[in-house]
Amino acid sequence: MTKSESSSSASRMLVAAAAIIAGLYWFADLLTPLALAIFLWLTIDAFAQSLSKRIKFLPRAAAVPVAILIVFISLAAIVGFVIEYATVFSRSLGAYEIRLDELIRQGYQLANMSGTPPTVGQLFANLNPGAVLRGVADALQSFGGQALFVIIYVACLFAAQASMPAKLEEIFKDEKERGRATKIGKAIARSMEQYLWVQTITGLMIAVASWALFAVVGLENGLFWATIIFVLSYIPVVGGAAGSLLPAVFALVQFTSPVPALVILAGTQGIGFVVGNIIQPRMTGDSLNISVLVVFLSLVFWGKLWGGPGAFLAVPMTVMLMIVLAQFPSTRWIAVLLSNNGNPDSSVDMDDPPLIGAAVSNQGDVKEETTTSSDNKV
């Protein structure tokens, strides 16, 4: 390949990447529910397989609806619990008004700000209730619409699951290419399932340990804050920091001394450090195969594109992208940079050639045979 051809190929790649990123941003309302549905579908499917293996009398056909029921009931229970405790928490804010006014005054003194510090009542009086209510209503409407689309997409994915083998046979006529595509799909599903399983178990560990710490310190609504920590644990890097900061800030309001807040902040950070740096790497191993820097950058990238759902899907989407890019010679270098050990498709059997490489190899074999045959004739 000449220098001009190489630069032209790089330019086309940059234009294609820019177009894809723009499409992901502009069609976020359409793509976000679909991405969440695919992730949820893979999770439910893996859970159904585990149920059918562990419970001998439960066939695969019955395990799927049981898994769907358990997953959606668990999600509904978590959402309902958070909403109920948020309501109770909002009602008890009035009891902390004096303490909040005192914290505002202390903040003014520490910042050397001139003027009379406002009270909590004055701050709320300056708010526009209509704008706040409209914002809350729009957020609830958006969440409800996305949840409905996610449920519909999940149902459609399960309905289309039975016809996937026949579709693969039509798309990949060559048996080797079809087997390779199946292995890639299984590797992507396995990485997503492994990520969700590890995040769930480690999130439960952090939440339970934090709940015990809150009970010892005497923090009110400790179960609510532990649940918030569990939910935020699915967002890497930022979720753990926010989960430690929120209960510590509330402890400043509840207690007159800053010592309980410091104990909660240090304790939750210590729990997160032990679980995240000792337990979680042992559970994950090299299944995800991406570095901490890539995790942080993917969180920023997908969070900017898709907001909260993007932050939740940042790691599995990056792992999926890395595995797919590794199958094409022109983009494999990107997958190598994203990987942690330099082998981006380590979860895929490397005995078989890549999809594109296999096609090129087959064409090359045909040309070689033709040339040899013509030489023999001569």
Side-chain angles (χ1 to χ4, degrees):
M1 181 180 292
T2 63
K3 186 176 181 180
S4 60
E5 290 176 345
S6 178
S7 60
S8 177
S9 176
S11 300
R12 287 195 298 269
M13 288 182 60
L14 288 175
V15 172
I20 292 173
I21 293 173
L24 290 173
Y25 178 78
W26 289 109
F27 296 100
D29 293 339
L30 176 65
L31 296 175
T32 301
L34 180 60
L36 289 171
I38 293 174
F39 189 69
L40 190 58
W41 167 59
L42 292 172
T43 303
I44 295 174
D45 187 66
F47 186 34
Q49 289 183 3
S50 179
L51 287 177
S52 61
K53 289 180 180 178
R54 295 177 182 273
I55 305 176
K56 301 299 182 181
F57 62 86
L58 188 65
R60 167 71 178 173
V64 172
V66 171
I68 293 174
L69 189 64
I70 293 175
V71 170
F72 278 102
I73 287 178
S74 301
L75 292 175
I78 292 175
V79 172
F81 177 80
V82 171
I83 292 175
E84 180 183 357
Y85 260 80
T87 304
V88 175
F89 175 73
S90 63
R91 291 175 182 173
S92 62
L93 282 177
Y96 302 110
E97 185 174 352
I98 298 176
R99 177 58 180 163
L100 288 171
D101 292 339
E102 182 180 350
L103 289 175
I104 293 173
R105 287 194 298 269
Q106 293 176 357
Y108 261 68
Q109 292 175 358
L110 290 175
N112 293 324
M113 298 176 65
S114 60
T116 304
T119 63
V120 175
Q122 292 173 344
L123 290 176
F124 277 96
N126 293 330
L127 294 177
N128 187 349
V132 173
L133 291 176
R134 282 193 300 271
V136 173
D138 292 341
L140 291 176
Q141 184 179 4
S142 176
F143 175 79
Q146 284 199 349
L148 179 61
F149 275 112
V150 168
I151 294 173
I152 294 174
Y153 286 147
V154 169
C156 293
L157 288 170
F158 273 107
Q161 188 174 8
S163 62
M164 284 302 297
K167 293 179 180 179
L168 285 176
E169 290 182 3
E170 290 295 324
I171 296 173
F172 301 100
K173 298 294 185 180
D174 184 76
E175 185 177 355
K176 184 178 291 186
E177 293 182 13
R178 185 166 58 251
R180 180 68 175 176
T182 302
K183 290 180 181 179
I184 292 171
K186 289 181 178 179
I188 292 173
R190 185 165 55 248
S191 297
M192 290 188 176
E193 294 161 8
Q194 177 75 2
Y195 170 75
L196 184 63
W197 170 254
V198 171
Q199 292 299 112
T200 301
I201 297 301
T202 54
L204 282 173
M205 291 179 181
I206 296 173
V208 171
S210 299
W211 186 20
L213 175 65
F214 299 156
V216 171
V217 175
L219 183 69
E220 294 181 357
N221 302 317
L223 185 59
F224 169 74
W225 294 116
T227 305
I228 295 297
I229 289 175
F230 172 72
V231 174
L232 291 176
S233 66
Y234 287 97
I235 302 177
V237 184
V238 177
S244 300
L245 187 61
L246 290 175
V249 171
F250 179 76
L252 285 175
V253 179
Q254 178 183 343
F255 301 100
T256 56
S257 171
V259 174
L262 294 176
V263 171
I264 289 174
L265 182 61
T268 50
Q269 286 288 337
I271 294 169
F273 179 83
V274 171
V275 174
N277 293 276
I278 298 177
I279 299 177
Q280 189 170 0
R282 294 178 180 272
M283 295 178 64
T284 305
D286 294 328
S287 60
L288 295 180
N289 192 21
I290 54 177
S291 64
V292 178
L293 177 61
V294 174
V295 170
F296 182 77
L297 293 177
S298 66
L299 178 64
V300 175
F301 176 78
W302 290 106
K304 183 67 175 178
L305 286 180
W306 289 353
F312 174 76
L313 295 171
V315 173
M317 290 286 286
T318 304
V319 172
M320 180 183 68
L321 182 65
M322 178 186 68
I323 294 175
V324 172
L325 291 176
Q327 309 311 311
F328 301 90
S330 60
T331 57
R332 183 175 175 81
W333 64 274
I334 302 176
V336 172
L337 292 177
L338 293 176
S339 65
N340 187 37
N341 58 7
N343 187 12
D345 47 5
S346 58
S347 57
V348 183
D349 188 5
M350 293 302 296
D351 292 336
D352 297 330
L355 287 174
I356 302 302
V360 174
S361 177
N362 291 337
Q363 294 175 0
D365 293 340
V366 172
K367 291 181 179 179
E368 184 178 355
E369 290 176 3
T370 305
T371 305
T372 305
S373 177
S374 61
D375 293 341
N376 292 336
K377 288 181 180 179
V378 174

